[in-house]
């Protein structure tokens, strides 16, 4: 059998997999930020009409899928797989949000890399001949993450300057064997990278080495450089992590320059909205991709996009036990050119 | 492109994927139970030499992978992917247990169905031409699960008659394009099934409908009946869930008879070891498969095995909020006959 691997981490798909439809949902801060016009649904109520924030997060995932299905003229029965996960303990955002669709379901845990992981596996399932259509979904919610990982929300604890703001948002991308693009051409699977960082208020620093590891593997294995992409976007490294990635590449003589940015820097206006180091959470990269970025590709603003969200694979328990923060980054290449393999 | 789907949920692999190596690790109760001789490592110390039970669980996963690599004459570098998950919040059993291997990693959350989900996705990645070798790993630990989901362990709370006992165990299965079998021939992806059960001390009842749903889909889509398999094994339904599955099939006129059992009934001696309804946890089906069951297939005790672990997709938070328990079941068919597609 022909092997589609270019190296240790990168797969070149046998056939380009097309984006068929995409949609996103955002909360109040997200919906009033710089990307306001790129949301399919914006809701100023952090409960989304539910009794708890956890149920609100499930509703966001459900709505993101519903919007994506509707925009694509599809029914739930048309999807062969749905791949999803989130930050909540036992990923209940996904299991409760998606239970009523009846779509064959593979649950994932990639922390804030989940949008990358779900797109990667959905692409591979389609390219492998196992699915016509597959959806990738994830979410995060400021209030569910804050109380699970840090402090009760009403306590209003002070945040460190390196802290990021978990996005209240969800995104869904439906991929297919057929479609008018953008197309996914390459997928780079991350390895767990742990550089010994232990400060859970500085996720950018913990995750940047994972982003560097995966992006460096992708450049090496595809024989490309940053200049080959119109835009390179990490998931939620924020200001600090973004700069660390640039520094790590600079040591290799590679200039990431202005074509490299981070979803955590795009989602909020850091000056007006006081988000400290920027946005974070699975929903951050999911909402930015499935709105602003894919809209921009369809409008030919960018023709080749490298999307590489990172995840911090810690838990409050591991931090309490003195552990460092392992991280991972999953990358996907989108191109407007079908033959761009 | 040829589509390998037989129906809504089942894929028939294009080429049989071979079991290349497998191994398991068990704690004290598991290592002194009926399957004692089928463990690669047994440890009477619930801490496995670590300072916390969570670190012990990570060590179990690490050791399961190391044993499987060694038994297969392989190095970590030989594995193209590792797919893993566990029950701990943010799946730290996997991320900390596997971080030092440097193997491209896809993190999963399927609760106690994770051994089925990881085998399914590993098979599809290999059959799709994306990997030569891929490992599927999971674990659970009585003490980490008990204190996370229920009560502090030293509290010694009374358990209900329907309660099951979370296995302290881990299992790793390495699959490959080449090998002498047993072979995976079919994979059936589960859908989330929620029948409104709300008692978190009766997981068997919550998960049985998911097992029924996936097994019924597999029988229908492959045009087989229970009689076509030498052994059908669910993951950790325990005594109660096992009987509910039999009842559900009986209503369809299908007799599951004595060829159907459950890993939760095999791992412990319920009379001598007082496990109430039986064993549970991701590690239960992982340890039973990657020892007793695959050993039995290699010895031709069984030639066709249907392995179908189930997962309950709840969290303590969802139960506190009055939610019911969604469940899922992922099934994989093993055969000693390479041409058995």
């Amino acid at each position: 059998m022909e092997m589609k691997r270019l190296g240790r981490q990168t797969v070149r798909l046998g056939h380009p997999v097309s984006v068929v439809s995409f949609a996103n949902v955002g909360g109040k801060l997200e919906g009033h930020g710089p990307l306001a016009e790129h949301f399919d649904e914006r809701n100023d109520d952090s409960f989304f009409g539910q009794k708890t924030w956890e149920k609100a997060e499930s509703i966001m995932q459900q709505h993101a899928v519903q919007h994506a299905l509707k925009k694509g003229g599809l029914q739930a029965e048309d999807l062969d797989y749905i791949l999803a996960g989130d930050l909540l303990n036992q990923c209940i955002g996904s299991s409760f949000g998606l239970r009523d669709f009846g779509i064959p379901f593979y649950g994932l845990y990639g922390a804030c890399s989940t949008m990358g992981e779900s797109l990667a596996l959905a692409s591979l399932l389609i390219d492998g001949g196992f699915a016509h259509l597959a959806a990738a979904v994830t979410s995060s919610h400021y209030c569910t993450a804050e109380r699970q990982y840090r402090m009760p929300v009403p306590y209003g604890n002070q945040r460190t300057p390196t802290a990021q703001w978990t996005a209240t948002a969800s995104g869904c991308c439906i991929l297919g064997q057929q479609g008018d693009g953008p197309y996914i051409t390459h997928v780079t699977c991350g390895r767990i990278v742990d550089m010994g960082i232990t400060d859970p208020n500085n996720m950018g620093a913990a995750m940047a080495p994972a982003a560097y590891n995966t992006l460096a593997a992708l450049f090496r294995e595809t024989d490309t450089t940053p200049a080959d992409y119109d835009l390179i976007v990490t998931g939620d490294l924020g200001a600090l992590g973004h700069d660390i990635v640039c520094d790590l590449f600079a040591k290799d003589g590679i200039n990431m320059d202005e074509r490299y940015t981070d979803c955590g820097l795009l989602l909020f206006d850091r000056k007006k909205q006081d988000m400290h180091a920027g946005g974070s959470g699975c929903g951050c990269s999911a909402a930015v991709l499935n709105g602003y970025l894919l809209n921009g590709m369809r409008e030919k603003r960018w023709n080749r996009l490298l999307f590489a969200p990172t995840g911090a694979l810690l838990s409050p328990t591991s931090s309490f036990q003195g552990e460092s923060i392992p991280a991972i980054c999953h990358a996907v290449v989108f191109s407007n050119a079908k033959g761009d393999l």
Side-chain angles (χ1 to χ4, degrees), chain A:
Chain A
M1 200 195 313
E2 182 209 2
M3 189 54 52
K4 298 166 187 168
R5 297 176 73 85
L6 294 178
R8 182 88 176 104
Q9 294 174 248
T10 305
V11 161
R12 179 171 59 200
L13 298 182
H15 306 270
V17 167
S18 183
V19 172
V20 170
S21 184
F22 56 90
N24 60 5
V25 174
K28 184 175 181 178
L29 291 165
E30 297 70 21
H32 293 274
L35 307 187
E37 65 183 300
H38 292 285
F39 278 95
D40 294 283
E41 178 183 334
R42 302 182 295 163
N43 198 326
D44 286 358
D45 169 19
S46 68
F47 286 96
F48 282 75
Q50 303 298 304
K51 284 190 176 175
T52 70
W53 289 315
E54 286 74 17
K55 290 178 200 270
E57 184 165 346
S58 289
I59 287 292
M60 283 198 295
Q61 282 207 24
Q62 193 189 93
H63 287 193
V65 175
Q66 284 168 343
H67 290 301
L69 286 170
K70 193 174 175 191
K71 286 169 76 177
L74 297 166
Q75 307 287 326
E77 299 75 57
D78 297 324
L79 298 185
D80 296 318
Y81 294 109
I82 196 159
L83 297 107
D86 56 85
L87 289 171
L88 292 176
N89 295 344
Q90 288 73 56
C91 299
I92 53 170
S94 305
S95 51
F96 287 90
L98 307 176
R99 65 178 158 180
D100 292 336
F101 289 112
I103 302 164
F105 173 78
Y106 283 127
L108 308 180
Y109 185 73
C112 305
S113 76
T114 302
M115 196 69 233
E117 182 183 2
S118 57
L119 285 168
L121 284 168
S123 306
L124 299 179
L125 289 174
I126 292 167
D127 192 55
F130 309 116
H132 295 283
L133 290 165
V137 192
T138 186
S139 65
S140 58
H141 192 301
Y142 175 77
C143 299
T144 63
E146 197 64 15
R147 70 175 174 182
Q148 178 180 282
Y149 285 107
R150 297 175 191 93
M151 293 282 180
V153 180
Y155 178 75
N157 66 303
Q158 198 166 3
R159 300 163 63 234
T160 66
T162 55
Q164 294 172 241
W165 187 275
T166 306
T168 299
S170 176
C172 171
C173 189
I174 298 176
L175 301 176
Q177 265 194 332
Q178 310 282 329
D180 301 325
Y183 304 97
I184 292 181
T185 59
H186 298 78
V187 162
T188 302
C189 181
R191 307 201 273 180
I192 302 172
V193 175
D194 189 337
M195 300 300 283
I197 304 274
T198 54
D199 179 4
N201 289 309
N202 193 349
M203 294 292 199
M207 298 192 293
Y212 166 75
N213 183 286
T214 294
L215 291 172
L218 189 149
F219 294 144
R220 188 173 61 243
E221 295 174 6
T222 58
D223 198 19
T224 57
T225 70
D228 291 310
Y229 303 89
D230 300 316
L231 191 68
I232 299 169
V233 197
T234 45
D236 60 344
L237 294 178
L240 210 74
H242 171 275
D243 292 352
I244 296 174
V245 169
C246 291
D247 289 349
L248 290 168
F249 276 108
K251 283 187 187 169
D252 295 343
I254 294 172
N255 179 13
M256 291 293 274
D257 70 25
E258 74 290 342
R259 76 189 64 221
Y260 166 49
T261 187
D262 181 80
C263 294
L265 299 175
L266 295 167
L267 184 60
F268 298 115
D269 183 325
R270 286 171 64 222
K271 283 179 192 161
K272 289 186 195 159
Q273 294 186 300
D274 187 28
M275 294 323 186
H276 293 39
S280 68
C282 302
C284 177
S285 61
V288 173
L289 176 76
N290 293 294
Y292 175 68
L293 294 175
L294 290 177
N295 283 336
M297 288 205 71
R298 288 216 165 150
E299 290 158 7
K300 317 294 181 203
R301 184 171 166 196
W302 310 291
N303 284 311
R304 219 182 191 194
L305 168 72
L306 203 178
F307 176 70
T310 50
L313 303 173
L314 83 170
S315 81
T317 302
S318 67
S319 291
F320 290 154
Q321 294 181 4
E323 275 287 6
S324 52
I325 304 175
I328 197 161
C329 172
H330 294 291
V332 169
V333 177
F334 290 92
S335 172
N336 277 331
K338 198 171 184 175
D340 197 5
L341 280 169

